[in-house]
Amino acid sequence: MLGRRLLVLGLVLASLTGPAFAAKTPAKPKSAVANDQQIAARRQALLAFQKDLVSVIAPQAMPIPLLGGALLARPLTDLPDVNSFHTLIERATIAPGAGPEINWVRLSDCDTKADACPNPDAMEKLVAQAPDNAAVWLLKLGQDVRNEKLDAAREDLGKAAAAKVYDDYTGVSLKALATTVTLLPPPPAVINPLSPTGAVGVQVMMVFGLAETQPQPGLQATSRLCEANKDHEAMKADCLKLAKLLEWGSSPLGRSLGLHLREVLSDDQAQQDGARRARRNLVWQVQSFAQLSSRAEGDTALAQHLLSLARSGGTEMSLMLTALHDYNINVDAPADWEPAKPQG
């Protein structure tokens, strides 16, 4: 669900947990083994259902349906070439009206073994299609930092700071998925007989689950670059300018970075305090939405509403805030509230 994704995004801006050591696991009782087998059978049925959906979508010629089909196809194997992720996302890029959101997803159409990720052609086209999108330059920044091209990374930072928007296109991918998963009814084999949400629960799970694999810009690399150069006045100015843009960007993680940069780089104590309060509210929003979306697993009306919000478009951030508003959840954290600690 999107709530769980948001919970991760909002809380792990720059934190990594240490290695976990698992204790010896006792043998499972027969009832648990049977339950695992049922879950595995439903998973296989779900993959078969995704293949059926891809087959229905593949003949279409418009970019958004093809994007939805490509996202459905991406985790699948043994597809005919005409229905593969590669073929569908390539067709989407040349479809009439195709925008940069297609090349954003196409970034992952690459060969990791050959160290050819993200897709270099998609990256080149994104820079040409969306030069005013800071997310594109931060994606390039992360790549340049990995390749130790620090001068190029500093140039990327300046271009990101001069951009007009920050959009990682998750909202478009959610819309594409939400408008395609309903083309066929989920078969009984994919529906948990104990689930009160039935088919709509399966559709919501598919939409928000598949959207989790959206390519992400180099936000941690940006944070490190800005903090390492806080005594460099020109770069600091770019970082603070970028922070303002990120604060009103498309994703909770981007907003979190913007607030973090303002808190650690601003010389104004009031600005630092304001950023700290806003970041606390953001964590409240993320955790509140995570709780709300977990309720959708047992609430058909809520599941249908989340599916409707995804279908209407917008951004990941706007979807979250709209859902909180629609269910009368305050977007400002209570005075006595403390963020939940990440599980170690």
Side-chain angles (χ1 to χ4, degrees), residues 15-193:
S15 63
L16 294 174
T17 57
F21 298 92
K24 186 176 180 180
T25 305
K28 289 185 177 181
K30 290 183 178 179
S31 59
V33 172
N35 184 59
D36 287 349
Q37 291 172 341
Q38 292 170 357
I39 292 173
R42 280 198 297 274
R43 174 173 172 75
Q44 289 303 311
L46 181 63
L47 293 175
F49 175 53
Q50 279 183 230
K51 289 183 179 181
D52 291 341
L53 279 169
V54 172
S55 296
V56 170
I57 297 163
Q60 300 200 36
M62 299 303 291
I64 297 303
L66 286 170
L67 174 61
L71 291 166
L72 285 164
R74 183 161 53 185
L76 302 177
T77 57
D78 301 324
L79 286 171
D81 184 65
V82 69
N83 289 355
S84 69
F85 170 62
H86 171 75
T87 298
L88 293 177
I89 201 65
E90 285 285 336
R91 284 179 55 210
T93 61
I94 60 173
E101 67 277 358
I102 307 296
N103 274 308
W104 187 271
V105 173
R106 186 170 161 253
L107 290 165
S108 58
D109 183 26
C110 56
D111 187 349
T112 54
K113 293 181 180 178
D115 195 25
C117 293
N119 183 312
D121 184 67
M123 186 73 250
E124 183 179 345
K125 285 186 168 59
L126 266 173
V127 169
Q129 283 180 307
D132 286 331
N133 184 357
V136 172
W137 294 109
L138 296 189
L139 185 74
K140 188 173 181 297
L141 183 151
Q143 187 179 16
D144 286 334
V145 168
R146 281 194 304 274
N147 294 331
E148 299 183 349
K149 298 179 179 179
L150 295 185
D151 288 342
R154 293 186 186 100
E155 185 178 342
D156 298 333
L157 177 66
K159 290 180 178 178
K164 296 178 181 178
V165 297
Y166 173 88
D167 189 356
D168 66 5
Y169 303 110
T170 297
V172 183
S173 288
L174 285 167
K175 180 179 180 179
L177 286 163
T179 53
T180 53
V181 298
T182 55
L183 293 176
L184 293 174
V190 307
I191 301 173
N192 185 340

Side-chain angles (χ1 to χ4, degrees), residues 215-262:
Q216 291 296 318
L219 298 184
Q220 289 190 357
T222 303
S223 178
R224 290 192 294 268
L225 184 64
C226 284
E227 291 183 63
N229 291 277
K230 60 184 178 181
D231 295 327
H232 188 295
E233 287 303 316
M235 287 189 67
K236 179 179 176 180
D238 278 343
C239 290
L240 286 170
K241 187 176 179 181
L242 174 64
K244 291 182 180 179
L245 185 66
L246 290 173
E247 286 187 39
W248 303 107
S250 67
S251 78
L253 186 54
R255 179 165 169 76
S256 181
L257 175 59
L259 293 167
H260 170 74
L261 291 177
R262 174 152 64 101

